Amino acid sequence: MSFFEIFGFALRGVAANKLRSGLTVLGILIGVAAVILLVAVGTGSAKQVEDSLAALGTNTLTVQGGRGGDTGYRTDLTLDIVKALQDKESAPDVKSVSPVVTSAQTLTFGDASYDVNSVIGTYPSYFAASNSVVASGSGFTEEDVDQAARVVVLGPTTAEELFGTVDPVGQRIGIAGQIYSVIGVLAKKGSTGFNDPDDVAIAPLPAVQRSLTGYGPVSSITIEAASADAVAAAKAEITAILNAKMHVADGASSTPYQIRDASQLLETRTATAETFTVLLGAVAGISLVVGGIGITNIMMVSVTERTREIGIRKALGAPRRVILTQFLIEATLLSLAGGGLGVAAALIGANFEIVGIKPVVMPDSVALALGVCVAIGLFFGSYPASRAAGLRPIDALRYE
Amino acid sequence: MTAPGREQRPVLDVVDLVKTYGEGETAVHALAGVSLTVAPGDYVAIMGSSGSGKSTLMNILGCLDVPTSGTYRLDGVDVSELNESQLALVRNRRIGFVFQSFNLIARTSALANVELPLAYAGIKPAVRREQALAALDMVGLANRADHDPNQLSGGQQQRVAVARALVSQPALLLADEPTGNLDSRSTRDVLSILDGLNAQGRTIVLITHEDEVAAHAHRTIRLVDGLVVSDVRRRDITPVGVMA
Ligand SMILES: Nc1ncnc2c1ncn2[C@@H]1O[C@H](COP(=O)(O)OP(=O)(O)O)[C@@H](O)[C@H]1O
Ligand SMILES: [Mg+2]
């Protein structure tokens, strides 16, 4: 018999047993789709955790000064130092540098007044560095800084305390007797500890200096590193620049400044990523086992019937090679159909949010799922057939 | 053994056939040394009580099973010396086997079932379709060619099975209680087909419980506990000429 004719036999075999074929395809479909989707959900939630950790500002470093130290030179954090830190040559891993002055003040709006936690004077880059997102209105610009414009962006807590239900954007408020225009309100960050990060008012640095703190040194400098991975390098560059500016001797036991970074957060992030990698591996493994057992079940259920059929075919004089080829083609057709439909189902399913998580399909998991499930389908589709084809016809006919 | 000229070489030549199932204490000697020869064109009924070894003998004759010891020559060829693919060829070309339980392939049309032996013989689809239809016509089921086995009565299924056994024109037709599951009418139908085939010179060996069925044969062999106890001929062998 030609291969073409045996292929026809296999097609007829698949078509003749629609229920069994359908169940086999379904078993493989579910196996493949389960593996891909479970891994996608796992990957999605890992990504979500990573994103929310990144939102906490793992890229930022804070330099605080005013720790004395007797180098015999000025050790204040000045705008001169800010300029030096902004130098791309000596600090390539630094993305932005934002000097910060803070002062606790009472804000007034009409008859209402509110003691804000801190009025922050800074540069526009501070918003990105501190993950402060402007929810309504806008932030201020470099131009506002140059002109020392009296504009202010309020934290959501501050805005609510002072304005209640009134839209703050476009209103004028008083800060220590000076009139400021409210140009924006920040999105809620949520409390991270004792401090409410939403209880702030952020204005251009020179405006705050002129009206509130004076033109002395800034209280801290917030620095954003180019990426989470560049934090360590950025820290080294900053240290070198500060040591040079403040004439700190090499190997000095104490420095007149302190650099705080989010190393703890970074560690958490790394640990979380590792946990998720292990978890994903387990999920993939378990779903492969589950899918594999499903496929095996379906395939084994039909072994008895098929063994008898093989017995009949052998009694009619079917050569072993023809039987094997037919059953291998059948198993291949069903496995490929199930695998293809499984991938399609998974890709469609991945478009929907599952338990609040947007699945992220990993190409590796598609290859793995297809490979393993199709291999199982092929094996359990053709191994019993090859065994049956090796039996004496009478033993195959009597098989139970 | 075979005298040249008049007497022909036997189709079946079985010497001291033994088949033992199991080992030691629990061993069952289904065949305890059966010897017999069947000449071309003969029509043989094998009788015996249940468990006497009839099916065991038939399965070995049909090359579906192998004996524990003894020799079996089919058309002068020692079957034990054939390899797997030669055996497939023998089952396909030389022997037509009819089972008591029909053994049609489910969810496959009568025509496709009858075509199977021809397909395995490598005959082209158009030709085998024609031959299969002719075989179905011969058993009176040409109008049921497209029916699946579960759409046919038991008698019709067995006639399809007979058509499948004879479609490749084997010289030897073996039938293990072909009428065992059939009513008297279907039994008559199947037997008249077998009678017709024998009249054309085909060698037939069938197993039966019933004397009326055995009466169609020309010779009756009785088995008891795996041994031949009687071998009675009632009619002469149909003169061969049609079959080569
Ligand atoms: N596959 C088998 N395994 C073990 N014993 C068997 C097997 N087939 C048949 N036998 C035994 O061999 C004996 C003959 O069986 P069988 O040839 O089927 O008898 P019959 O067809 O004459 O009723 C019985 O005792 C039966 O139990
Ligand atoms: Mg029997």
Side-chain angles (χ1 to χ4, degrees):
Chain A
M1 278 180 92
S2 68
F3 178 82
F4 188 69
E5 268 194 81
I6 303 175
F7 194 87
F9 265 46
L11 275 184
R12 245 168 291 152
V14 168
N17 302 285
K18 293 197 180 59
L19 181 65
R20 186 179 64 213
S21 302
L23 284 176
T24 307
V25 168
L26 190 69
I28 297 175
L29 186 161
I30 290 173
V32 169
V35 173
I36 297 176
L37 268 186
L38 282 173
V39 172
V41 168
T43 312
S45 60
K47 193 170 171 299
Q48 217 171 44
V49 168
E50 193 160 317
D51 286 351
S52 61
L53 278 178
L56 289 176
T58 47
N59 298 7
T60 50
L61 297 153
T62 310
V63 181
Q64 274 173 323
R67 305 223 312 164
D70 46 353
T71 61
Y73 292 87
R74 262 192 85 181
T75 58
D76 291 329
L77 297 177
T78 60
L79 291 184
D80 180 38
I81 288 178
V82 170
K83 274 216 169 51
L85 292 173
Q86 279 170 330
D87 180 27
K88 282 279 167 243
E89 293 275 304
S90 49
D93 291 300
V94 168
K95 188 174 165 195
S96 75
V97 183
S98 315
V100 172
V101 294
T102 59
S103 126
Q105 295 288 342
T106 302
L107 310 187
T108 57
F109 172 63
D111 291 338
S113 71
Y114 175 64
D115 292 332
V116 71
N117 197 1
S118 54
V119 173
I120 295 173
T122 186
Y123 288 173
S125 56
Y126 179 80
F127 288 99
S130 64
N131 281 300
S132 303
V133 179
V134 178
S136 68
S138 62
F140 54 80
T141 61
E142 299 283 355
E143 217 173 19
D144 293 325
V145 172
D146 290 343
Q147 296 171 357
R150 286 205 293 270
V151 292
V152 67
V153 177
L154 300 180
T157 305
T158 316
E160 202 185 315
E161 293 289 345
L162 197 57
F163 288 93
T165 54
V166 180
D167 180 10
V169 177
Q171 305 289 353
R172 288 159 174 271
I173 62 171
I175 305 177
Q178 303 278 336
I179 303 296
Y180 279 73
S181 300
V182 178
I183 57 169
V185 177
L186 298 178
K188 250 194 169 50
K189 277 186 186 174
S191 178
T192 52
F194 302 112
N195 280 340
D196 179 359
D198 295 331
D199 189 10
V200 290
I202 305 174
L205 177 73
V208 175
Q209 282 180 319
R210 187 164 69 197
S211 55
L212 303 175
T213 64
Y215 289 102
V218 299
S219 38
S220 68
I221 302 173
T222 297
I223 293 161
E224 189 180 1
S227 71
D229 299 330
V231 168
K235 191 173 180 179
E237 291 156 14
I238 296 163
T239 306
I241 293 168
L242 290 176
N243 283 354
K245 282 280 174 192
M246 297 180 185
H247 301 272
V248 177
D250 279 347
S253 61
S254 73
T255 56
Y257 61 87
Q258 189 190 16
I259 304 175
R260 288 194 296 131
D261 63 14
S263 59
Q264 254 181 324
L265 275 178
L266 272 177
E267 270 167 34
T268 316
R269 203 181 84 143
T270 314
T272 314
E274 272 166 17
T275 312
F276 268 107
T277 309
V278 172
L279 208 70
L280 282 183
V283 164
I286 291 170
S287 41
L288 270 182
V289 168
V290 169
I293 289 174
I295 298 168
T296 312
N297 253 334
I298 293 291
M299 296 299 226
M300 294 308 273
V301 164
S302 63
V303 164
T304 306
E305 196 194 0
R306 302 240 82 181
T307 302
R308 303 178 71 104
E309 179 186 331
I310 287 171
I312 298 174
R313 289 176 183 274
K314 286 202 75 169
L316 298 178
R320 192 173 167 177
R321 177 188 60 84
V322 173
I323 294 180
L324 286 184
T325 312
Q326 176 192 337
F327 279 68
L328 196 65
I329 294 172
E330 282 189 27
T332 308
L333 288 175
L334 295 178
S335 299
L336 289 183
L341 289 174
V343 171
L347 292 183
I348 292 170
N351 287 323
F352 301 98
E353 275 202 357
I354 299 169
V355 290
I357 293 164
K358 178 92 189 65
V360 177
V361 174
M362 303 294 287
D364 285 358
S365 73
V366 175
L368 181 80
L370 259 185
V372 172
C373 291
V374 169
I376 292 176
L378 275 183
F379 179 79
F380 284 102
S382 52
Y383 168 72
S386 88
R387 219 190 30 154
L391 292 176
R392 281 180 212 143
I394 198 68
D395 292 332
L397 281 169
R398 282 207 197 106
Y399 187 86
E400 253 146 42
Chain B
M1 197 176 113
T2 310
R6 289 190 56 229
E7 205 178 324
Q8 282 194 304
R9 185 176 63 189
V11 180
L12 299 177
D13 180 10
V14 164
V15 181
D16 209 15
L17 215 55
V18 173
K19 177 74 181 182
T20 311
Y21 292 109
E23 275 171 44
E25 300 270 301
T26 58
V28 176
H29 301 284
L31 295 180
V34 170
S35 299
L36 61 92
T37 58
V38 176
D42 208 350
Y43 193 170
V44 183
I46 297 179
M47 300 191 74
S49 60
S50 184
S52 57
K54 307 182 296 291
S55 294
T56 304
L57 175 62
M58 198 61 128
N59 293 333
I60 293 171
L61 295 183
C63 297
L64 305 180
D65 205 352
V66 293
T68 308
S69 67
T71 54
Y72 167 33
R73 270 181 236 281
L74 176 66
D75 281 334
V77 178
D78 187 345
V79 167
S80 66
E81 282 166 8
L82 300 180
N83 65 24
E84 169 79 24
S85 64
Q86 289 169 321
L87 276 176
L89 217 58
V90 166
R91 292 193 279 255
N92 185 245
R93 308 281 164 86
R94 300 283 177 96
I95 302 169
F97 205 105
V98 179
F99 300 89
Q100 179 176 358
S101 53
F102 321 143
N103 275 342
L104 297 179
I105 292 180
R107 294 175 289 271
T108 302
S109 72
L111 182 66
N113 262 290
V114 176
E115 274 189 37
L116 267 184
L118 299 175
Y120 290 132
I123 291 169
K124 294 264 172 303
V127 180
R128 71 182 187 227
R129 191 185 157 81
E130 200 174 297
Q131 294 182 357
L133 277 171
L136 278 174
D137 194 33
M138 189 166 171
V139 298
L141 285 175
N143 56 340
R144 296 281 195 282
D146 293 332
H147 287 49
D148 284 356
N150 62 357
Q151 297 169 317
L152 298 171
S153 72
Q156 289 172 331
Q157 288 187 55
Q158 193 60 301
R159 276 146 71 194
V160 172
V162 171
R164 186 178 65 181
L166 62 84
V167 72
S168 51
Q169 315 241 326
L172 177 62
L173 202 68
L174 303 175
D176 187 349
E177 302 199 36
T179 60
N181 287 344
L182 303 183
D183 58 28
S184 56
R185 210 208 121 125
S186 300
T187 298
R188 273 202 306 282
D189 288 345
V190 169
L191 285 176
S192 68
I193 294 166
L194 294 183
D195 291 350
L197 288 169
N198 178 250
Q200 291 170 14
R202 222 154 282 194
T203 313
I204 297 179
V205 179
L206 64 75
I207 293 176
T208 183
H209 274 307
E210 301 158 75
D211 291 325
E212 305 92 86
V213 175
H216 285 254
H218 302 170
R219 173 185 172 197
T220 302
I221 296 174
R222 283 187 186 275
L223 286 187
V224 174
D225 291 341
L227 285 170
V228 177
V229 293
S230 77
D231 187 343
V232 180
R233 174 170 298 284
R234 283 187 306 278
R235 255 164 285 170
D236 285 339
I237 294 173
T238 316
V240 183
V242 196
M243 305 294 298

